[in-house]
Amino acid sequence: RMKIAALHKMNKEKTIRYPHPEISLAEVLLKGAGDLGDDSNFGLSLRCVGIALREMADLKHTLDDTVAQNFIEPFHVLLNNELKEIHHHRKKTESRRLDFDGKRRKLAKNTGITREEVQQAEEKYEESYELSYNSMGHFIDNDVDQICQMQALVNALLECHQGFVQILENTKAELDRSAEAASSQPRAERVCAIPKAIRRTSSSGHLGENDMADDEFSPCPGDPYCIALYDFSAENDGELGFNEGDMVTLTDHIDDNWLEGEIDGRTGYFPKAYVEIKVDCQ
């Protein structure tokens, strides 16, 4: 009956697993791998590490079940049954010893206690003493079983961590092969294109069909330039207005707060805080 109750308790605990961090990290990496696709070497590496972490989490769940079944539950039985029984017998033995001593002293003083009552008290004391002695001896004789339970705990921990080592070594070897394969691939030539103007059609920020033409992009210039972070309207003579996303050629620093530049054949000065300098003219 006790074993069935323990198994029922374990089955209830299995339904609510501890959220190991490996499984959470694995989900993030596997999602990133799915977003990047199998054509990405980095995506394949994310998938490799994600699968490894998921296997490590499975090992931890197995360790949880093994420890609960082979160590925690038997240890609870030891504490709640055998040791409690020993404590009960010792307490009862002490109580009967006091009763026996009291009746024996009364008999010696002739205070109304018969010899039969003293003999019954002595027999009860000896009975409790024998039960207490036997229960303590039984507990000591089970040292081997208790040490075997500790061995089971250590073996489960060792097996789990050996599994971790094996998984990580295999994952490292796979990543080493992926890194070598990726480094041996020729790099594709890329042309850096910077939008000259990106005009928003509405406050929602969506681009219109004709908002961006092919000639609105130009290769990365070698000359100094900056990118407009915000729209700037020229309100005074000599100022240079532009829209967010415009590429402005830098010609000079007027002071710490103002720059001079050119865009689409127009020259003028504008606030430095409205742009991000990519290639400085100083």
Side-chain angles (χ1 to χ4, degrees):
R1 186 181 304 171
M2 187 183 305
K3 185 176 180 181
I4 294 175
L7 291 174
H8 179 68
K9 180 181 178 182
M10 289 175 57
N11 291 331
K12 288 178 64 178
E13 291 176 350
K14 285 182 183 179
T15 59
I16 305 176
R17 290 186 176 274
Y18 178 80
H20 293 298
E22 288 82 0
I23 193 65
S24 300
L25 182 56
E27 291 175 357
V28 173
L29 296 183
L30 291 175
K31 182 180 183 302
D35 294 340
L36 291 174
D38 294 337
D39 294 335
S40 169
N41 290 322
F42 181 49
L44 294 176
S45 298
L46 290 178
R47 184 183 303 278
C48 177
V49 178
I51 293 175
L53 289 172
R54 191 163 58 187
E55 292 176 353
M56 292 172 67
D58 292 339
L59 284 179
K60 277 194 172 183
H61 288 313
T62 302
L63 175 65
D64 293 342
D65 297 339
T66 301
V67 170
Q69 182 177 359
N70 297 336
F71 179 71
I72 295 179
E73 290 300 329
F75 192 69
H76 280 317
V77 172
L78 177 67
L79 293 178
N80 298 328
N81 294 293
E82 295 187 27
L83 292 181
K84 186 179 291 186
E85 182 180 357
I86 292 174
H87 179 71
H88 169 72
H89 287 313
R90 292 185 62 182
K91 188 175 180 180
K92 192 172 183 179
T93 301
E94 181 65 16
S95 175
R96 289 184 172 181
R97 184 188 67 81
L98 294 174
D99 180 64
F100 169 61
D101 289 342
K103 288 181 179 179
R104 188 171 56 178
R105 285 193 297 269
K106 289 181 180 180
L107 179 64
K109 295 179 181 180
N110 296 319
T111 55
I113 294 295
T114 63
R115 188 172 297 276
E116 288 76 12
E117 290 177 327
V118 174
Q119 186 177 358
Q120 290 178 358
E122 183 179 8
E123 291 175 354
K124 289 182 179 180
Y125 164 66
E126 291 176 352
E127 179 186 1
S128 296
Y129 180 85
E130 185 178 0
L131 288 173
S132 177
Y133 180 84
N134 290 336
S135 62
M136 293 178 65
H138 178 72
F139 176 78
I140 294 174
D141 292 339
N142 286 339
D143 276 353
V144 176
D145 295 337
Q146 294 156 10
I147 294 174
C148 288
Q149 291 175 5
M150 297 302 298
Q151 285 180 323
L153 171 64
V154 174
N155 288 336
L157 291 170
L158 180 61
E159 182 178 354
C160 178
H161 286 84
Q162 285 176 341
F164 287 168
V165 172
Q166 185 64 42
I167 292 172
L168 293 175
E169 286 180 347
N170 293 339
T171 304
K172 180 180 180 301
E174 184 66 26
L175 291 176
D176 290 342
R177 289 191 293 267
S178 298
E180 183 178 357
S183 62
S184 63
Q185 293 179 354
R187 292 184 177 274
E189 295 185 1
R190 298 179 178 87
V191 177
C192 177
I194 299 177
K196 293 179 65 178
I198 302 179
R199 293 183 293 275
R200 305 291 182 181
T201 59
S202 67
S203 59
S204 63
H206 297 292
L207 297 176
E209 295 181 356
N210 300 322
D211 286 343
M212 192 180 298
D214 292 340
D215 58 355
E216 288 182 325
F217 290 85
S218 62
C220 294
D223 296 333
Y225 74 97
C226 61
I227 300 296
L229 300 175
Y230 318 101
D231 294 343
F232 176 68
S233 300
E235 298 179 355
N236 302 310
D237 293 339
E239 292 182 348
L240 178 65
F242 47 72
N243 297 319
E244 177 186 353
D246 285 352
M247 185 184 74
V248 182
T249 302
L250 287 178
T251 57
D252 193 13
H253 283 254
I254 298 177
D255 55 30
D256 292 339
N257 299 318
W258 290 84
L259 302 173
E260 185 179 41
E262 177 183 355
I263 180 173
D264 295 336
R266 299 179 291 109
T267 59
Y269 55 90
F270 52 88
K272 184 178 180 180
Y274 277 63
V275 299
E276 179 184 0
I277 298 176
K278 297 295 185 179
V279 179
D280 206 347
C281 60
Q282 292 184 341

